[in-house]
Amino acid sequence: MSFEILEGQGRDCLVVDDSRVVRKAARRLLEGFGFAVREAEDGRKALEACRDTVPDLVLLDWNMPVMDGLAFLRAARAEIGERRPVVMLCTTENTQERILQALEAGAQEYVMKPFDAEILGGKLAQLGLLREAA
């Protein structure tokens, strides 16, 4: 299954994860879908990056030093707004309580690590950012 960015949709993504390996893997997948990718290793740097240019999509880890994903999400929603950027939490946190906490804080989607192109593409398609290629 392959995916492509919908015409007229944003192409800027910020990948936020304290693991360089995860950032690199996510970058490769997202660039394969046609996104321009920036990276940040913690929530504080991600918030600074969003202040410079608000991305269309944030792929966000939960557990990070300095500022975790949930703190970033709350700060970004308070400062930037509730609808933009689209935020997908990518984490190992898998309890229903944690998922609800993330969604209530303003995440639009949630994906478990590890993920692959099909899983990530499917989630992005659910968000209306990709479509299945013909």
Side-chain angles (χ1 to χ4, degrees), residues 13-114:
C13 180
L14 179 63
V15 175
V16 186
D17 199 297
D18 57 324
S19 167
R20 198 172 122 245
V21 171
V22 172
R23 289 194 314 268
K24 185 176 181 179
R27 171 186 283 275
R28 192 175 359 203
L29 293 174
L30 289 160
E31 287 176 342
F33 295 141
F35 285 91
V37 179
R38 295 181 289 152
E39 298 179 19
E41 64 260 18
D42 62 58
R44 187 187 69 208
K45 289 185 178 174
L47 196 55
E48 291 168 4
C50 287
R51 287 176 182 142
D52 289 340
T53 305
V54 178
D56 301 298
L57 171 67
V58 174
L59 214 58
L60 181 65
D61 185 25
W62 189 309
N63 297 305
M64 297 177 288
V66 183
M67 177 187 274
D68 70 18
L70 200 60
F72 162 81
L73 184 54
R74 289 180 175 141
R77 291 300 183 225
E79 191 173 315
I80 300 166
E82 294 181 18
R83 297 228 178 253
R84 200 162 168 255
V86 172
V87 176
M88 182 187 310
L89 232 41
C90 298
T91 183
T92 58
E93 296 286 344
N94 64 358
T95 65
Q96 185 174 4
E97 178 184 331
R98 295 293 259 183
I99 293 169
L100 288 173
Q101 190 178 13
L103 296 173
E104 288 170 358
Q108 283 97 337
E109 191 53 79
Y110 202 94
V111 66
M112 297 301 303
K113 289 180 183 176

